[in-house]
Amino acid sequence: MSTFEFPTAIGASDATSITLLGHDLASELLGQVGFAELAYWLVAMRRPTPGELRLFEAVLVALADHGLTPTVIAARMTLTGAPESLQGAVAAGLLGGGSRYLGVTEDCGRFLAETLAAHAAAGNALPADGDTDGWDALALAAVRVRRDAGGYVPGLGHPVHKDVDPRTPVMFGLAETEGVLGPHLRLFDAVGRVHEQVLGRRLPLNGAGVCGAVLADIGLPVDMLRGFALLARTAGLLGHLAEETRNPIGPALYDAVDRSAVYEPPPV
Amino acid sequence: MSTFEFPTAIGASDATSITLLGHDLASELLGQVGFAELAYWLVAMRRPTPGELRLFEAVLVALADHGLTPTVIAARMTLTGAPESLQGAVAAGLLGGGSRYLGVTEDCGRFLAETLAAHAAAGNALPADGDTDGWDALALAAVRVRRDAGGYVPGLGHPVHKDVDPRTPVMFGLAETEGVLGPHLRLFDAVGRVHEQVLGRRLPLNGAGVCGAVLADIGLPVDMLRGFALLARTAGLLGHLAEETRNPIGPALYDAVDRSAVYEPPPV
Amino acid sequence: MSTFEFPTAIGASDATSITLLGHDLASELLGQVGFAELAYWLVAMRRPTPGELRLFEAVLVALADHGLTPTVIAARMTLTGAPESLQGAVAAGLLGGGSRYLGVTEDCGRFLAETLAAHAAAGNALPADGDTDGWDALALAAVRVRRDAGGYVPGLGHPVHKDVDPRTPVMFGLAETEGVLGPHLRLFDAVGRVHEQVLGRRLPLNGAGVCGAVLADIGLPVDMLRGFALLARTAGLLGHLAEETRNPIGPALYDAVDRSAVYEPPPV
Amino acid sequence: MSTFEFPTAIGASDATSITLLGHDLASELLGQVGFAELAYWLVAMRRPTPGELRLFEAVLVALADHGLTPTVIAARMTLTGAPESLQGAVAAGLLGGGSRYLGVTEDCGRFLAETLAAHAAAGNALPADGDTDGWDALALAAVRVRRDAGGYVPGLGHPVHKDVDPRTPVMFGLAETEGVLGPHLRLFDAVGRVHEQVLGRRLPLNGAGVCGAVLADIGLPVDMLRGFALLARTAGLLGHLAEETRNPIGPALYDAVDRSAVYEPPPV
């Protein structure tokens, strides 16, 4: 393996120092960089602006918890069986972060980014910020294409928040305040206005979707958006696993499921 | 399952609102609470003070990355095989966060907390803050007990930082500055002074250990300390997986290992 | 939850008996049903014939191990970090069983099954067993469609076995001997004869692909084919993890990677 | 990395052949070795005798499924959230295979093996096969030591099978028939006769425990016993995940838990 080299830009260390992202960890980062800021930096390979950071923290807070979801149930059940392995319970919880739940953030960011990229690739300029008609036309075309291809339009609808997802207007407001409201959010906003013309019913812009639009607008790579949902969810899982340790519901949940099982033997 | 109830203090939602930790997510938390602050709150069930939060963020930054470690290798190898499942790669990376690596933070926090608890349970008051002799005596007894029981003293020594782990003095300094330097750190400091008398050689107080002492001093439950190491590591893993996506080393690493494999067939 | 019922046909138990797949575990299954037979039965919901079972066992043996692969490296690295959690190391090893490696078996089975289904849905009868021209025409059309859609044809090519994958002819021979050589294998065989006309070069039918064709021919659902690759791989991982316990290479592998890391700090 | 070598006795391959455990995979193993036989061989590094193999298969069948357990719930919940990642659902299911559930098999095998080893280390010969009094004395001493140390005696008691676990007598009978009833089973049998004298109540020898005793008697390393429980469970999980795909209960289970959640907000 003498000729192999594994390049990395993340970090390195020697006997007296640790370097992270080109900075001395001890003297330049500890106490001077926040954790969310570091998480952004590790992926984007640049520090966020203060406005980007505020939105990034808001997204992580928005995505941290959604109650006793399937991923939380999986994590708590895993801790019930293997209480000695907290890492196993966290990992089990993250593994449910796939296409149906945590995937919406990434799907929405990608849908918006691909729409913008295709528009630019066709030689078009983006609409001006206040050109509502221009954004609506772009959104309408994108929703139609997606619908005609048999795909779903990500970021629309929520099983509980039927009219308005309370996170959505707040995230738009924060982005406006911080000056980071960019083309992904503008396009997403327009999707909210026009989708009824194509889909035949009005659905709210959901929180997972707006978080995907925000993450794209603050400069994070679309391929990694699910990763930030996983990071946020890790904090939520720790909260649930700490609660499970203090006040377990796992055994009662197992008992409840077991009592509700109905055995329907197969034809022998 | 009619009689089952699953109590939780984390969160709830209805058609128009989302509640997290007793607060309205949209109007009271988004943009107003940082992500690390929320992670602390979810586990401790109270908000950190500004000093506690600064130390908490510093610990998460300190534990986020340590280069191409076994957990990073596992995560990158997993992404190589299943690039469509970012959650699987993150989970694989976290699963190596067990006793040998990420366990030191928890082991050290627990060792210090148990020593303090046993001291208090025996009816003794803690030494005064500046009573170096008192702390040294307490540390010396604890190190002896651990050594005589055949156990290791967690938080001592580092494979690379043979003399001083550069994170350690900075963390002590930050704790002092922020007024959160408490009994766990004082005891850990004393362990650093006295262990040579018992172990026969001088070892540095390592960064994982000082992080465990800090987390205990800022009021986090010892059972969950490994969880914060996992949270920190999740950010580091995202950095490595983003880099693996941009500039993959996985195939070359596999190739290097494969070429270095030497087949020694068993007796047939 | 009073009105919920969770139906299952797998198993049930009461104070004096355990039922599995409609049979009494103790008196009807233990010592009378093999493990692979049970695994087949659990998924197919029927017992395999002796011929089906022989092929099924052969597939599991064929897929159990491929040396120091990325999934084995991930599992060994995870055991290095968390030796107390064998389940974590096995889980980490399975998580790399995604689209690039273990996915080929499923992709190939699905490609063949979909081709056969589309042929039948268009009202066509399958070629007779010995109608080589008929099978070739069907294969040629399917390869063309796949190629024109920009997709890859699964089951072709191998990084090491450039001419012939030694597993492939043996699996065809076993299927012939046991009388279970069905339409998926016949179509796969034809793909091997005709793909060069479309792709412009001759590639071997690989072992992962032939295993997918076999599993489909012996009546297993295409959606679960990856699952059998995971089951086979679990046995292989146990072999590697037992070896890692007896004769660890994890620390040396970590050391080798760490020494080969080249730090290229990002622009600050 | 030029000087590194990673020795392995599992397998190797070159352009024309694949070697596994010192045999040519294609010509010597496919169709000639069963899957369970291979799994045994991979860990023990020798082929089992026919009697050992029959018991090994019986253990795997006995441990494959236990209904809607926490690990099955975790796996089904994970598939609900990430249906595209079967490997994630299997991994999540295995991660609950820790100390409380799958650990009993390993704990019991280890308890028996350590008792026998300590007896031999003290220079004592084992009792003759039919020397019931001798085995009872050995068991009684071991149970007393475990009890006095505050530990639990593994392999005793079952939440559902209060009097007799139906698997236990069948496994003893199979071991007798096949001539592999060895010291671990004899000692376990004696534990069943004498524990009431120490523990004050009569408990059944459970199925997980007897499986641990069998695995030890047929020559498998105690450190890997949990691994066979994981292998067995993988087959059970595939059965449940196939059923979840055909007839999902995940969404109803989530709904049931969600409806039964009672929010008890923390003090603000």
Side-chain angles (χ1 to χ4, degrees):
Chain A
M1 295 171 79
S2 58
T3 61
F4 284 98
E5 294 189 347
F6 304 127
T8 179
I10 309 284
S13 61
D14 60 28
T16 58
S17 72
I18 300 169
T19 305
L20 187 61
L21 295 164
H23 289 264
D24 183 68
L25 175 68
S27 68
E28 296 184 294
L29 300 178
L30 293 184
Q32 301 178 56
V33 171
F35 175 60
E37 187 176 3
L38 179 70
Y40 181 107
W41 194 352
L42 278 162
V43 173
M45 298 309 280
R46 68 166 177 86
R47 294 178 86 144
T49 66
E52 288 169 339
L53 179 57
R54 188 164 181 224
L55 269 290
F56 183 59
E57 302 242 24
V59 165
L60 294 177
V61 169
L63 296 177
D65 181 68
H66 298 89
L68 296 177
T69 56
T71 62
V72 166
I73 295 169
R76 287 183 181 245
M77 288 284 91
T78 302
L79 195 73
T80 300
E84 75 283 5
S85 173
L86 187 64
Q87 72 272 19
V90 172
L94 294 181
L95 288 170
S99 61
R100 282 212 200 140
Y101 294 112
L102 273 58
V104 173
T105 296
E106 183 165 319
D107 291 345
C108 187
R110 177 169 286 121
F111 168 67
L112 300 171
E114 290 177 351
T115 299
L116 294 171
H119 186 71
N124 301 307
L126 287 180
D129 287 356
D131 176 11
T132 304
D133 289 349
W135 287 105
D136 284 3
L138 183 52
L140 194 60
V143 171
R144 280 214 175 101
V145 166
R146 180 61 66 107
R147 170 62 173 265
D148 292 347
Y152 88 112
V153 180
L156 291 176
H158 193 280
V160 172
H161 310 300
K162 305 286 188 187
D163 294 324
V164 175
D165 187 318
R167 295 166 291 190
T168 303
V170 175
M171 297 299 289
F172 272 99
L174 282 170
E176 182 77 55
T177 300
E178 296 293 342
V180 298
L181 203 161
H184 300 84
L185 279 165
R186 288 189 203 285
L187 178 58
F188 191 52
D189 198 24
V191 168
R193 287 190 299 266
V194 306
H195 70 271
E196 192 175 2
Q197 297 177 45
V198 182
L199 306 181
R201 57 183 179 142
R202 179 162 187 73
L203 295 164
L205 296 175
N206 62 41
V210 77
C211 286
V214 167
L215 292 173
D217 262 350
I218 63 176
L220 292 164
V222 165
D223 284 344
M224 293 301 293
L225 297 194
R226 186 183 299 187
F228 298 111
L230 294 169
L231 177 63
R233 191 54 62 92
T234 301
L237 287 169
L238 293 180
H240 279 279
L241 293 169
E243 186 174 86
E244 183 69 25
T245 302
R246 289 193 311 268
N247 184 22
I249 64 171
L253 201 159
Y254 171 26
D255 190 37
V257 172
D258 197 49
R259 287 193 200 185
S260 303
V262 177
Y263 187 54
E264 299 180 346
V268 177
Chain B
M1 295 172 78
S2 57
T3 60
F4 284 97
E5 294 188 347
F6 303 127
T8 180
I10 308 286
S13 63
D14 60 28
T16 58
S17 72
I18 299 170
T19 305
L20 187 60
L21 296 165
H23 289 263
D24 183 68
L25 175 67
S27 67
E28 297 184 292
L29 300 178
L30 293 184
Q32 302 178 56
V33 171
F35 176 59
E37 186 176 4
L38 180 71
Y40 181 108
W41 193 353
L42 279 161
V43 173
M45 298 309 280
R46 69 167 176 84
R47 296 178 85 143
T49 65
E52 287 168 340
L53 179 57
R54 189 165 180 225
L55 268 291
F56 183 59
E57 303 242 24
V59 165
L60 294 176
V61 169
L63 297 177
D65 182 67
H66 298 88
L68 295 177
T69 57
T71 62
V72 166
I73 296 169
R76 287 182 180 246
M77 288 285 93
T78 302
L79 194 74
T80 299
E84 75 284 6
S85 172
L86 187 63
Q87 72 271 19
V90 172
L94 295 181
L95 287 171
S99 59
R100 283 211 200 140
Y101 294 112
L102 274 58
V104 173
T105 296
E106 182 166 319
D107 290 347
C108 188
R110 176 169 286 122
F111 168 68
L112 300 170
E114 289 177 351
T115 300
L116 295 170
H119 186 72
N124 301 306
L126 288 180
D129 287 356
D131 176 11
T132 303
D133 289 349
W135 286 105
D136 283 4
L138 183 53
L140 194 61
V143 171
R144 281 212 174 103
V145 166
R146 180 60 66 108
R147 170 63 173 266
D148 292 347
Y152 88 113
V153 180
L156 292 176
H158 193 282
V160 172
H161 310 300
K162 304 285 187 187
D163 293 326
V164 175
D165 187 317
R167 295 167 292 189
T168 303
V170 175
M171 296 300 289
F172 272 99
L174 283 170
E176 181 78 54
T177 300
E178 296 293 342
V180 299
L181 203 160
H184 299 85
L185 280 165
R186 289 189 202 286
L187 178 59
F188 191 52
D189 198 25
V191 168
R193 288 189 299 267
V194 305
H195 70 271
E196 193 175 3
Q197 297 177 44
V198 182
L199 306 181
R201 57 182 180 143
R202 179 160 188 75
L203 296 164
L205 295 175
N206 63 41
V210 77
C211 287
V214 167
L215 292 173
D217 262 351
I218 63 175
L220 291 164
V222 165
D223 285 344
M224 293 300 294
L225 296 194
R226 184 183 301 186
F228 297 110
L230 294 168
L231 177 63
R233 191 56 60 94
T234 301
L237 288 168
L238 292 181
H240 280 280
L241 293 169
E243 186 174 83
E244 183 69 24
T245 302
R246 289 193 310 268
N247 183 21
I249 64 172
L253 201 157
Y254 171 28
D255 190 37
V257 172
D258 198 48
R259 287 193 201 185
S260 303
V262 178
Y263 188 54
E264 299 180 347
V268 178
Chain C
M1 297 171 79
S2 57
T3 60
F4 284 98
E5 294 188 346
F6 303 128
T8 180
I10 308 286
S13 62
D14 59 29
T16 58
S17 72
I18 299 170
T19 305
L20 187 61
L21 295 165
H23 289 264
D24 184 69
L25 175 67
S27 67
E28 297 184 293
L29 300 178
L30 294 184
Q32 302 177 55
V33 171
F35 176 59
E37 187 176 3
L38 179 71
Y40 181 108
W41 194 351
L42 279 162
V43 173
M45 298 310 279
R46 68 167 177 86
R47 295 178 85 144
T49 66
E52 289 169 339
L53 179 57
R54 190 168 179 222
L55 268 292
F56 184 59
E57 303 243 23
V59 166
L60 294 176
V61 169
L63 297 177
D65 182 67
H66 297 89
L68 296 178
T69 56
T71 63
V72 166
I73 296 169
R76 287 183 181 246
M77 288 284 93
T78 301
L79 196 72
T80 301
E84 74 284 5
S85 174
L86 186 63
Q87 72 271 19
V90 173
L94 295 181
L95 287 170
S99 60
R100 281 211 201 140
Y101 295 111
L102 273 58
V104 174
T105 296
E106 183 166 320
D107 290 346
C108 188
R110 177 169 287 120
F111 169 68
L112 300 170
E114 289 176 353
T115 299
L116 295 170
H119 187 72
N124 301 307
L126 287 180
D129 287 356
D131 176 11
T132 305
D133 289 350
W135 286 106
D136 284 2
L138 184 52
L140 195 60
V143 171
R144 281 214 173 100
V145 166
R146 181 60 67 107
R147 169 63 173 264
D148 293 346
Y152 88 112
V153 180
L156 292 175
H158 194 280
V160 173
H161 310 299
K162 305 285 188 187
D163 294 325
V164 175
D165 187 317
R167 294 166 292 189
T168 303
V170 175
M171 296 300 290
F172 272 100
L174 282 170
E176 181 78 55
T177 301
E178 296 293 341
V180 299
L181 203 161
H184 300 85
L185 279 165
R186 289 189 202 285
L187 178 58
F188 191 53
D189 198 24
V191 168
R193 289 190 298 267
V194 305
H195 71 270
E196 192 175 3
Q197 297 177 44
V198 183
L199 306 182
R201 57 183 180 142
R202 180 162 187 73
L203 296 164
L205 296 176
N206 61 41
V210 78
C211 287
V214 168
L215 292 173
D217 262 350
I218 63 175
L220 291 165
V222 165
D223 284 344
M224 294 301 293
L225 297 194
R226 184 183 301 187
F228 298 111
L230 295 169
L231 177 63
R233 190 55 60 94
T234 301
L237 288 169
L238 292 181
H240 280 280
L241 293 169
E243 186 174 83
E244 183 68 26
T245 303
R246 290 193 312 268
N247 183 22
I249 64 171
L253 201 158
Y254 171 26
D255 190 37
V257 172
D258 197 47
R259 287 193 200 185
S260 303
V262 178
Y263 188 53
E264 299 180 347
V268 178
Chain D
M1 295 173 79
S2 58
T3 61
F4 283 98
E5 294 189 345
F6 304 128
T8 179
I10 308 286
S13 62
D14 60 28
T16 59
S17 72
I18 299 170
T19 305
L20 186 61
L21 295 164
H23 289 264
D24 183 68
L25 176 67
S27 68
E28 297 184 293
L29 300 178
L30 293 185
Q32 302 178 56
V33 171
F35 176 60
E37 187 176 4
L38 179 70
Y40 181 108
W41 193 353
L42 279 162
V43 173
M45 298 309 280
R46 69 167 177 86
R47 295 179 86 143
T49 66
E52 288 169 340
L53 179 57
R54 188 165 180 224
L55 268 290
F56 184 59
E57 302 242 25
V59 165
L60 293 176
V61 169
L63 296 178
D65 181 67
H66 297 88
L68 295 178
T69 56
T71 62
V72 167
I73 296 169
R76 287 183 180 247
M77 289 283 92
T78 302
L79 195 72
T80 300
E84 75 283 5
S85 173
L86 188 63
Q87 72 271 21
V90 172
L94 294 181
L95 287 171
S99 60
R100 283 212 200 139
Y101 294 112
L102 273 58
V104 173
T105 296
E106 182 166 320
D107 291 346
C108 188
R110 177 169 286 121
F111 169 68
L112 299 170
E114 290 177 350
T115 299
L116 295 170
H119 186 72
N124 301 305
L126 286 181
D129 287 356
D131 176 11
T132 304
D133 289 349
W135 287 104
D136 283 3
L138 183 53
L140 194 61
V143 171
R144 281 213 173 102
V145 166
R146 181 60 66 106
R147 169 63 173 264
D148 292 348
Y152 88 113
V153 180
L156 292 175
H158 194 281
V160 172
H161 309 300
K162 304 286 189 188
D163 293 325
V164 175
D165 188 317
R167 295 167 291 190
T168 303
V170 175
M171 297 300 288
F172 272 100
L174 283 169
E176 182 77 55
T177 300
E178 296 293 341
V180 298
L181 203 160
H184 300 85
L185 279 165
R186 288 188 203 287
L187 178 59
F188 192 52
D189 198 24
V191 168
R193 288 189 299 267
V194 306
H195 71 271
E196 192 174 3
Q197 297 176 45
V198 181
L199 306 181
R201 58 184 180 141
R202 181 163 187 72
L203 295 165
L205 296 176
N206 62 42
V210 78
C211 288
V214 168
L215 293 172
D217 262 351
I218 63 176
L220 291 164
V222 165
D223 284 345
M224 293 301 293
L225 298 194
R226 186 183 300 188
F228 298 111
L230 294 169
L231 177 63
R233 191 56 60 93
T234 300
L237 287 169
L238 293 181
H240 280 280
L241 293 169
E243 185 174 85
E244 183 70 23
T245 303
R246 290 193 310 268
N247 183 22
I249 64 171
L253 201 159
Y254 171 27
D255 190 37
V257 172
D258 198 47
R259 287 193 200 185
S260 302
V262 177
Y263 187 53
E264 299 180 348
V268 178

